[in-house]
Amino acid sequence: MVMSQVLEPKSWVSAFLSYLEDEKGYSDKTARNYLRAIEQFSHFMPDQSWRRLSHNSFKEYLYHLSREAKLGPASIRLHFSALRSFYRYLVRSGRVETNPLAELSLPVKEKRLPRYLSELQIEVLLSAPVYAWNQYRVDKSRRGKPVLEWQFLRDKAILEFFYSTGVRINELVNIKDLDIDHRSGVLRVMGKGKKERITVLGEPALRAYANYRDQIPLPIQNEWAFLNPRGEALSVRAVQQLFKKYLTMAGLDTELSPHKLRHSFATHLLDRGADLRSVQELLGHANLSTTQIYTQVTAERLRKSYDQAHPRA
């Protein structure tokens, strides 16, 4: 990974990035984000050494991000998450004696409840690829590159997988056909930090996937689960585009992301009585507190229903 204008010694940053990728299993994207945060700090304070930086150095940087760069609490916390992780590594590896960020107070991030789709909205969205295929066949005046039925079946399977398993978009595009156990109805997922987990596939998702795979032309069949017309794994960008297309067809907010199906998956499970620990495992959350935010969504929904319906609310 290329570095530019980072604080001396540069080898420390390089060793830290290798540690993130090789030992912690962080993705290239996460490592790049950490590098960017370190570089931005080094541009702000270019003539300092990591050994000589103090608590006040980072208080000054915090003030800069908040007052001059006008970043919000969430963005500031992301910056300092990278810097704190870097210093923890430096202390653990014996390169510095203390962590000047240890007692630094950061702005509190505003808690926003996850946005999710209702069960009815999910049904409309999941039926959109079938509707799209029927429209495509009827509209003889349509121009452009022809689209085959297996591509609509693929899109249907993708939407079903999102909602059935709660996978993230990066996890979905990396699913291989062998990761799917059709007999037991489970899916092996490689999640954040290269942590493997098992999640469950419902019958509609398994059926949609089987219908799609049965129609793939033999020349482009591949080990990847979801393919483009060249037989390559679909990209994240391609999945985002097809998701936006079906949101439009379903009459839903096109600003929604595939991650909202993950929120919907968790919220609907809890609404129907699933226990929190099971939902945590299915989502691949390291901490139960991350999953607990969905209980707040459920409680808020119940409160609204109560206020609307109870005579003495």
Side-chain angles (χ1 to χ4, degrees):
M1 190 173 290
V2 177
M3 295 177 294
S4 60
Q5 297 182 357
V6 294
L7 295 179
E8 293 293 337
K10 295 180 182 180
S11 60
W12 289 7
V13 180
S14 180
F16 170 63
L17 297 172
S18 297
Y19 163 76
L20 290 180
E21 294 175 331
D22 300 337
E23 295 189 39
K24 298 291 286 184
Y26 284 18
S27 67
D28 288 342
K29 179 181 177 182
T30 301
R32 284 196 301 271
N33 289 338
Y34 274 38
L35 172 61
R36 190 176 300 114
I38 292 170
E39 286 186 321
Q40 287 175 354
F41 175 77
S42 71
H43 288 310
F44 175 75
M45 203 163 282
D47 300 323
Q48 293 288 340
S49 161
W50 295 113
R51 285 194 185 95
R52 293 194 296 271
L53 290 168
S54 66
H55 179 82
N56 286 335
S57 302
F58 290 98
K59 281 185 69 175
E60 185 181 344
Y61 187 53
L62 174 59
Y63 181 88
H64 164 74
L65 293 180
S66 177
R67 299 298 176 88
E68 296 177 27
K70 299 189 182 303
L71 297 185
S75 297
I76 290 173
R77 294 182 75 88
L78 285 173
H79 275 265
F80 277 89
S81 175
L83 293 168
R84 276 180 165 163
S85 181
F86 179 47
Y87 261 98
R88 282 195 296 268
Y89 166 77
L90 294 181
V91 171
R92 191 162 45 242
S93 60
R95 289 173 168 86
V96 300
E97 294 183 2
T98 59
N99 183 351
L101 289 144
E103 303 299 326
L104 187 68
S105 297
L106 298 177
V108 177
K109 184 169 70 171
E110 178 186 355
K111 285 189 176 180
R112 282 190 241 170
L113 295 180
R115 189 177 175 189
Y116 67 98
L117 299 175
S118 69
E119 292 185 34
L120 178 58
Q121 288 173 322
I122 290 289
E123 290 296 330
V124 173
L125 178 61
L126 295 181
S127 65
V130 177
Y131 174 78
W133 170 241
N134 290 332
Q135 287 292 105
Y136 182 83
R137 288 189 301 170
V138 170
D139 187 359
K140 301 297 184 182
S141 64
R142 186 183 297 271
R143 296 181 179 180
K145 188 179 294 186
V147 184
L148 301 177
E149 183 180 9
W150 73 266
Q151 292 170 259
F152 290 98
L153 294 174
R154 176 204 62 198
D155 297 350
K156 166 74 170 169
I158 285 172
L159 296 179
E160 291 281 2
F161 263 56
F162 271 130
Y163 182 57
S164 183
T165 65
V167 291
R168 304 174 179 92
I169 190 169
N170 286 304
E171 295 169 345
L172 181 124
V173 297
N174 285 306
I175 294 172
K176 295 183 178 179
D177 188 53
L178 289 176
D179 294 331
I180 303 165
D181 188 330
H182 296 266
R183 181 173 298 178
S184 58
V186 297
L187 170 68
R188 184 176 68 90
V189 179
M190 191 63 68
K192 284 185 175 181
K194 298 183 181 177
K195 292 179 181 177
E196 184 179 305
R197 74 178 186 276
I198 298 296
T199 189
V200 180
L201 277 164
E203 183 58 35
L206 286 167
R207 186 167 57 248
Y209 184 76
N211 291 340
Y212 145 62
R213 295 295 292 195
D214 285 345
Q215 295 298 319
I216 297 177
L218 287 174
I220 70 166
Q221 288 198 11
N222 194 305
E223 62 177 346
W224 299 103
F226 299 108
L227 306 174
N228 64 26
R230 297 184 299 278
E232 303 162 343
L234 275 179
S235 66
V236 167
R237 178 63 178 156
V239 175
Q240 290 170 333
Q241 288 175 333
L242 70 86
F243 187 72
K244 187 178 287 288
K245 176 177 74 174
Y246 293 120
L247 285 171
T248 301
M249 298 194 72
L252 298 171
D253 183 359
T254 56
E255 294 303 311
L256 293 172
S257 70
H259 208 71
K260 297 302 178 287
L261 291 184
R262 179 172 166 86
H263 296 331
S264 305
F265 163 84
T267 303
H268 295 169
L269 279 175
L270 291 168
D271 278 351
R272 289 174 173 263
D275 68 275
L276 198 60
R277 287 285 182 188
S278 297
V279 176
Q280 177 193 5
E281 289 185 28
L282 291 169
L283 290 170
H285 286 161
N287 299 311
L288 188 63
S289 59
T290 309
T291 317
Q292 283 175 328
I293 192 166
Y294 295 108
T295 64
Q296 297 177 40
V297 173
T298 301
E300 185 180 74
R301 183 188 58 78
L302 289 173
R303 180 74 211 184
K304 285 181 179 178
S305 298
Y306 179 90
D307 289 343
Q308 291 170 2
H310 199 284
R312 297 178 69 85

